[in-house]
């Protein structure tokens, strides 16, 4: 009789032990599944949700990390613009060809090392078509920017390119369903007002207030405006493909750039001459800087929304370009340009402060959930 009672008391204890072992095995199985998933595959599990919310070691959870990455991207991109503007001995199409060749030579071994091919087999046709579209319009925009830097002041060239946030906010609202509130609209209006005051279109301010550019300069500015409107979708594409590896995206883009540049040189009959040693060093430095800021931009888009990223980048890019124009090229803006730069600076401060505050609030909510 006593033996039966003892066996009856031991049964619940054994059942509890078995349940705990099954629970532990289930957690290990979930961890193994998530570990072996390809990058870009989303697995919805309770374990992943809890750990994802409460993880504190990731660089993505650092408040203001996306803004700092975008700031480094802007500084490096303006450094490249200075090199392109001063490197007048090499035609822009030849410069872009050498740049793409060097960048492909760096990104392709990286993609092979991490086993992330440029166009992976598990990627759908829609995503591959988006990568091709990104490569085509990105090539056109960079080529137009390189040509415009030969004719326009670096600050005025950035005025035209700074229209990107307007297009990005529109397309991100249509395709990504991202929010577009009253504050975003106000920032857009202030930014566009600042751009108009800085560039001073002759049909609004008259020919005396505007800068007199020749016909090639106006055509290059128009090409930058059109390609900027088209390439604004590239930010949305990178945001949508934020799960893809950076090496894969970079290598795919440079393959398309290289093919298009070679086709343009072949069909257009451009002379492909070998630069002198000093120019070769400048092209090498420029290519390495470009691949560095491209990686920083893709990393930033993994944590920053497309509309906020484009607005902050354009505002910072405009401010840095104006500083370069004043202190490096010794071209001092007038009163209207100073007022426009002030409005752009205000937009920059509000946008960056709002983004950092939002990240801090999300971080506080995550810590509260982990505590409870």
């Amino acid at each position: 009789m006593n033996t039966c009672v003892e066996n009856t008391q031991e049964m619940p204890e054994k059942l509890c032990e078995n349940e705990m072992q099954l629970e532990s095995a289930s957690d290990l199985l979930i961890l193994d599944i998530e570990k072996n998933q390809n990058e870009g595959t989303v697995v919805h599990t309770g374990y992943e949700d809890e750990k994802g919310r409460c993880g504190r070691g990731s660089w993505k959870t650092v408040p203001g990390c996306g803004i700092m990455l975008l700031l480094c991207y802007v500084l490096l991109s303006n450094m490249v613009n200075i090199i392109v503007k001063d490197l007048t001995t090499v035609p822009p199409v030849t410069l872009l060809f050498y740049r793409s060749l060097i960048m492909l030579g760096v990104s392709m071994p990286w993609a092979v090392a991490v086993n992330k091919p440029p166009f992976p087999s598990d990627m759908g046709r829609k995503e591959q078509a988006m990568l091709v579209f990104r490569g085509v319009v990105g090539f056109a925009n960079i080529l137009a920017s390189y040509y415009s830097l030969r004719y326009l002041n670096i600050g005025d060239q950035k005025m035209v390119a700074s229209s990107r946030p307007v297009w990005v906010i529109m397309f991100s609202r249509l395709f990504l369903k991202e929010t577009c509130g009253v504050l975003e609209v106000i920032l857009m209006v202030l930014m566009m007002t600042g751009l108009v005051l800085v560039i001073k279109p002759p049909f609004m301010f008259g020919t005396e207030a505007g800068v007199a550019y020749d016909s090639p300069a106006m055509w290059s500015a128009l090409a930058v405006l059109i390609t900027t409107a088209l390439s604004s979708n590239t930010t949305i594409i990178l945001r949508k493909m934020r799960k893809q590896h950076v090496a894969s995206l970079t290598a795919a883009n440079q393959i398309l750039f290289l093919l298009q540049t070679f086709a343009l040189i072949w069909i257009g009959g451009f002379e492909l001459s070998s630069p002198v040693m000093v120019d070769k060093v400048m092209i090498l430095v420029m290519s390495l800087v470009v691949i560095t800021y491209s990686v920083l931009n893709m990393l930033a888009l993994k944590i920053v929304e497309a509309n906020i990223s484009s607005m902050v980048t354009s505002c910072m890019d405009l401010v840095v370009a104006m500083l370069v124009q004043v202190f490096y090229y010794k071209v001092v803006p007038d009163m209207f340009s100073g007022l426009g730069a002030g409005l752009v600076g205000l937009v920059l401060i509000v946008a960056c402060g709002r983004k950092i505050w939002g990240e801090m609030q999300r971080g506080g909510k995550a810590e509260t959930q982990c505590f409870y």
Side-chain angles (χ1 to χ4, degrees):
M1 184 71 180
N2 294 334
T3 305
C4 295
V5 173
E6 290 177 359
N7 292 335
T8 306
Q9 292 176 351
E10 289 178 357
M11 285 180 62
E13 295 179 358
K14 291 182 179 180
L15 287 175
C16 291
E17 290 179 1
N18 291 335
E19 288 178 0
M20 291 176 65
Q21 290 176 358
L22 288 174
E23 230 175 82
S24 177
S26 176
D27 284 346
L28 290 174
L29 178 62
I30 291 173
L31 281 173
D32 187 62
I33 292 173
E34 293 176 352
K35 181 180 178 182
N36 289 282
Q37 286 293 331
N38 294 327
E39 191 170 1
T41 305
V42 180
V43 182
H44 299 285
T45 60
Y47 184 88
E48 187 272 335
D49 290 340
E50 183 179 354
K51 295 297 181 183
R53 286 193 304 264
C54 304
R56 299 177 183 178
S58 177
W59 60 272
K60 298 179 183 180
T61 59
V62 178
C65 179
I67 302 299
M68 295 304 299
L69 290 174
L70 292 176
L71 177 59
C72 295
Y73 160 76
V74 167
L75 294 176
L76 294 177
S77 64
N78 276 272
M79 177 181 173
V80 171
N81 289 337
I82 294 174
I83 296 175
V84 173
K85 190 172 181 62
D86 293 343
L87 198 60
T88 57
T89 56
V90 182
V93 62
T94 307
L95 182 62
L96 186 55
F97 175 78
Y98 286 131
R99 194 203 80 163
S100 301
L101 191 61
I102 295 173
M103 292 182 64
L104 182 62
V106 175
S107 59
M108 183 58 74
W110 182 18
V112 172
V114 297
N115 196 21
K116 299 294 180 181
F119 293 94
S121 58
D122 57 346
M123 181 180 290
R125 293 295 182 183
K126 181 180 178 181
E127 286 76 14
Q128 292 179 352
M130 292 168 65
L131 285 181
V132 173
F133 177 80
R134 175 202 171 208
V136 172
V137 299
F139 168 78
N141 182 245
I142 292 177
L143 188 61
S145 299
Y146 281 11
Y147 271 104
S148 64
L149 284 170
R150 300 293 173 89
Y151 300 106
L152 303 174
N153 291 328
I154 190 170
D156 296 340
Q157 193 267 347
K158 287 300 178 183
M159 298 303 121
V160 184
S162 294
S163 61
R164 181 187 298 265
V166 179
W167 305 102
V168 170
I169 291 177
M170 293 174 56
F171 289 126
S172 62
R173 176 61 180 171
L174 292 175
F175 298 114
L176 298 181
K177 307 302 180 183
E178 292 184 357
T179 58
C180 181
V182 179
L183 182 59
E184 283 78 9
V185 176
I186 294 175
L187 292 178
M188 289 171 56
V189 172
L190 290 177
M191 183 188 67
M192 295 306 297
T193 304
L195 297 180
V196 171
L197 291 174
V198 174
I199 199 171
K200 298 182 294 295
F203 65 89
M204 294 180 61
F205 292 85
T207 56
E208 296 181 357
V211 179
Y213 286 120
D214 53 4
S215 181
M218 298 304 297
W219 281 110
S220 64
L222 181 61
V224 171
L225 181 62
I226 295 175
T227 55
T228 297
L230 293 175
S231 64
S232 61
N233 294 283
T234 60
T235 305
I236 302 173
I237 292 174
L238 287 177
R239 174 67 179 170
K240 201 171 186 65
M241 294 188 174
R242 59 187 179 273
K243 299 295 183 179
Q244 295 294 328
H245 200 277
V246 175
S248 175
L249 295 174
T250 305
N253 206 40
Q254 296 313 310
I255 290 174
L256 296 172
F257 273 33
L258 192 60
L259 293 175
Q260 293 174 92
T261 312
F262 180 77
L264 184 60
I265 293 174
W266 183 271
I267 297 173
F270 294 96
E271 183 180 356
L272 189 61
S273 59
S274 179
V276 297
M277 183 55 65
V278 177
D279 293 344
K280 288 179 181 178
V281 173
M282 295 298 293
I283 293 173
L284 177 62
V285 172
M286 182 194 73
S287 303
L288 296 178
V289 173
V290 169
I291 196 171
T292 301
Y293 77 64
S294 298
V295 170
L296 293 177
N297 184 36
M298 283 184 276
L299 290 176
L301 286 172
K302 291 179 181 292
I303 54 178
V304 181
E305 291 182 357
N307 54 358
I308 298 296
S309 170
S310 182
M311 180 176 291
V312 171
T313 301
S314 295
C315 293
M316 289 192 294
D317 207 4
L318 184 59
V319 172
V320 174
M322 292 300 298
L323 293 176
V324 170
Q325 179 177 319
V326 172
F327 293 102
Y328 184 79
Y329 292 103
K330 308 299 182 183
V331 179
V332 181
D334 56 9
M335 182 184 66
F336 291 104
S337 299
L339 182 59
L343 289 177
V344 171
L346 177 62
V347 173
L348 171 63
I349 294 174
V350 173
C352 292
R354 177 177 177 272
K355 185 62 183 177
I356 294 175
W357 176 254
E359 290 181 354
M360 292 177 65
Q361 282 188 327
R362 285 195 294 270
K365 289 180 180 179
E367 290 181 358
T368 304
Q369 292 175 356
C370 292
F371 179 77
Y372 289 104

